[in-house]
Amino acid sequence: MSTDLKYTKDHEWLKIEDGNVAVIGITEFAQDALGDLVYVELPEIGSKIAKGADLAVVESVKTAAEVYSPVTGEVVAVNDELPDNPELIKKSLEAGWIAKVKITDEADMAELMDDAAYQDYLKSLD
Amino acid sequence: MRYLPLTDKNRQDMLKTIGASNVDDLFVQVPKKAFIDGLANLPLHKGELEVERILSAYANENHAAPDGPFFLGAGCYYHHVPATADHIIQRSEFLTAYTPYQPEIAQGTLQVVYEFQTMIAMLTGQEIANASLYDGATAMTESALMAMRITRRNGLVLKGVHHPHYLEVLHSYKRNFEDMHIDENITDKTACVIVQYPDFHGNIHDLAALRAECDEHGAKLIVVVNEIIALGLLPAPDMADIVCGEAQSIGLALSYGGPHLGFLACRSAYVRQVPGRLCGETVDADGKRSFVLTLSTREQHIRREKATSNICTNQGLCALAFSVHMALLGEAGFKRLAQLNHEITIDLAEALGKVKNVTVVNDTFFNEFLIRLENPPHSAKEIVSQLAKKGIIGGFPVSQNELLLNATEMTTQDDITQLCEALTAILSA
C-alpha cells in the first residue's frame, strides 16, 4: 500500500485529497478476512458522521462488516459503482474507495497510524 | 451423574453482570396481573381416565365455531381447511415448527418455503416475500421498521381503522424505538403510510390515492392484509412498497387465536432490509435445482445487534399448511373461494339491512362489515352475550352500538336467518 495513506485499527485506510477530504476504503487485510464480497451499503451524501460511527457495510458470502469512519465530518461522495460491483474494493485504491468525508476535526488525523505503524500493528495480530 | 447446567452461583454471577438483583427483575415488563402465585387447587395426582373425564368436561363447555351460526372475524377467520393439509403437515419429514438450523439438509422443507414465498409474492403483486413471520401484527411492525431503515426517517402515518392488537404490538416496539413517532399527516419526515386492506371495519381504501400522497413526500406505502382471501377478488396491492399481514385464513384453524402466519412481501430493491428468513433457488455441485437459505448476513446469528430484526426464524409448519391448502385451491379455486365469501357476505348485509334498527355502515366490504344499532336496549357487547346464549356467535363489538360481522364459505343461509331472527328479538325486547 501507498505511503501517504493513514490507517485505523479496524483496517480502514484513508487518503487526504483537496486538503481536507478523506477518501476512505478498507485494507487488504480486511478484504482477505471478509472473502468474496457480495454487497456494499453506502452512506447518504450530505450525512454527518462522527468518528467511529458506521460509515458503510461490506457484505461477503459469510459475514457483513461495518466500516467505521476514521474521522468526523460530512459525507461528500460515495463510490456508486460498488453496490453492483463490490469486488472493485479489491482492485485498487482508485477503483475501490468507499466514501469521501470532508473532515471537520483535524485532530482526528493525529490518532491514525502511518504505513509503518500499521505494518507493525498487523504483525502484532499474528 | 446429575445434569445441572447452572449452579446457583452461576445464576448470581450472571444477574450481577447485567445488574439485576433477582430473576424476577428480568420480567418487569410483564403485567403484574399476569403472574400467579403457584398453581391453585391442583391435585398432586389423578389417574389417566379421571384426567380425561375432567378435561373432556372442561372442553365441552367450549362453544366452537362449527357448533352454531358463527359471524366472528375481527382478524381471525373461520374457513374450511381440507383434511389433506392436516395430513401432510403431520408427516414426519415436515413436522417441525421452524426452519431447521442446518437447513440445506432439509431440501423438502426449503422447497416448501420457496413455494410459500412465491405464492405470497404472486398474491400480493410484489417481487419477493420472506419465509413468513409470527403473525400479522409483528409483520406490520417489522414492515414499519423496514420503511424507517430504507428512508432513514422515523414518522409513521396510519390510515383507516387498524386492528387494535396490531396497534398494541406496534406500541410495544415503539417503547424501545424511541425515534419512532406516529403522526396525523404525511410530511417529508414520514417513513411510511400504513393502511389495512380491507381495514379493521371492512372498508376498502383507495390505494392509488395513498400511493400518490406517499410519492409527493417520498414516503413508503405499506399495505396490511388481515384476511388474505380478499386478495382473490381485490386488485393485488402491487403499487405498495411493502405488503404484509396475516395468512391464517388459508390452511390454519382458528385454534383459540393462534398460531398464526405472518407474511411480508416487497420490491426486490429492499431485500437487504427484509426481516427474517429468505429461501433462494440455486444449483448444487451436480448442477441440479436446489434450495438454500440466502442473504443470511442480514440476520442475528451473523449481524448480531446490527441485524435487520431480532426475528431469525419463521412459522415453518403454518407456512407449510398454507402452501398445501393454496396448492389444492389453485388460482381458479382461490378466486372462487373469495367470490363465495363475498357473495354470502352480501346476503348477510342485505338480510341485516332489513332488521329494524340495524344499519350497515360500510360503503365497501369484502367478507366483513360494520353494523350500527339504533337505540339498542343493551350495549353491543351485551347483545353479543345474549346471542351466544342462543348458540349464535354474533360478531365483535367495536363500540357501544356497533358490531363487526363476518361471513365466509362456512356460513349458510340458515345461519343468516337465525342471526336476523335472534337480533330482531333482542333489539325489540
Side-chain angles (χ1 to χ4, degrees), chain A residues 38-39 42 44 54 57 59-60 62-64 66, chain B residues 150-152 269 272-273 295 297-298 302-303 306:
Chain A
V38 293
Y39 189 69
L42 297 168
E44 250 180 279
D54 298 350
V57 180
E59 189 180 317
S60 71
K62 57 184 175 181
T63 192
E66 273 71 30
Chain B
I150 294 166
T151 59
R152 304 184 200 217
R272 284 193 160 72
Q273 297 303 332
L295 291 164
T297 40
R298 298 167 294 107
I302 294 175
R303 287 302 295 281
K306 299 275 176 60

Side-chain angles (χ1 to χ4, degrees), chain B residues 222-237:
Chain B
I222 298 177
V223 171
V224 185
V225 182
N226 233 201
E227 164 57 299
I228 199 163
I229 293 174
L231 296 180
L233 267 187
L234 294 174

Side-chain angles (χ1 to χ4, degrees), chain B residues 155-175:
Chain B
L156 318 181
V157 173
L158 301 164
K159 288 281 181 185
V161 190
H162 284 263
H163 195 297
H165 293 172
Y166 288 34
L167 294 179
E168 277 181 41
V169 170
L170 182 66
H171 282 100
S172 295
Y173 275 78
K174 191 171 172 288
R175 278 197 286 276

